[in-house]
Amino acid sequence: MDSIEAPTTWTTSFMRGCRRKCPRCGEGAMFRGYLSIADHCSACKLPFEPLRADDAPAYFTIAIVGHIVVSGLLMLESYAHPPTWVQLAIWLPSTAIMSLAMLPYLKGAVMAAIYCSNKDA
C-alpha cells in the first residue's frame, strides 16, 4: 500500500471521492449502498464517520441540475415553442434522473473535500 504512505494531493483525493472511492488510498468503496456510508475503508481502514457531508451534496446537486434544466427549458421554449405538456414530459423526468444520478458522486466529492481539509489541519 504505497499510495497510503505517499502524501496525496487535494486533486487526487477529490477525484477519488468523485468515483466514490476512499480519498486516502483510492481502493476501498466509500459507500455500502446508494447513499449509505461505509464504516471504514476496506483497504486502508480510514474511518468515514468524521467525513459528514450533511446537506452540501443536495445543494450542489440542485444548483447543477437547476442550471442545466432551466437553460434547456428556456432554449427549447425560445426555439421550438412546444406545448406545456411536452416541456413537462421532457424536463420533469430529466430533473429526477439527473438529480438521482449525480447525488452519490457529489456526496463522495464533498466527503473527499472534507477529508482533504481535515488532513492538513
Side-chain angles (χ1 to χ4, degrees):
M1 297 251 159
D2 294 327
S3 61
I4 296 171
E5 296 169 9
T8 57
T9 64
W10 188 91
T11 307
T12 303
S13 294
F14 184 78
M15 294 310 291
R16 289 174 178 168
C18 287
R19 291 190 323 264
R20 301 180 58 183
K21 298 291 183 182
C22 174
R24 182 164 65 183
C25 69
E27 294 179 23
M30 203 181 313
F31 296 87
R32 64 174 183 247
Y34 175 66
L35 289 176
S36 302
I37 302 168
D39 294 329
H40 60 276
C41 175
S42 59
C44 70
K45 306 300 183 213
L46 173 71
F48 294 134
E49 178 59 32
L51 307 177
R52 298 188 51 90
D54 295 330
D55 292 336
Y59 293 133
F60 294 138
T61 301
I62 290 168
I64 293 168
V65 171
H67 279 82
I68 294 168
V69 168
V70 170
S71 298
L73 186 140
L74 292 174
M75 286 192 318
L76 183 61
E77 182 62 36
S78 65
Y79 292 123
H81 307 294
T84 303
W85 70 268
V86 172
Q87 290 278 32
L88 290 172
I90 293 170
W91 299 112
L92 284 178
S94 298
T95 301
I97 291 167
M98 283 190 283
S99 296
L100 292 173
M102 280 186 195
L103 187 57
Y105 297 98
L106 288 173
K107 184 171 182 174
V110 168
M111 289 173 63
I114 293 168
Y115 165 77
C116 292
S117 66
N118 288 343
K119 120 182 137 162
D120 294 334

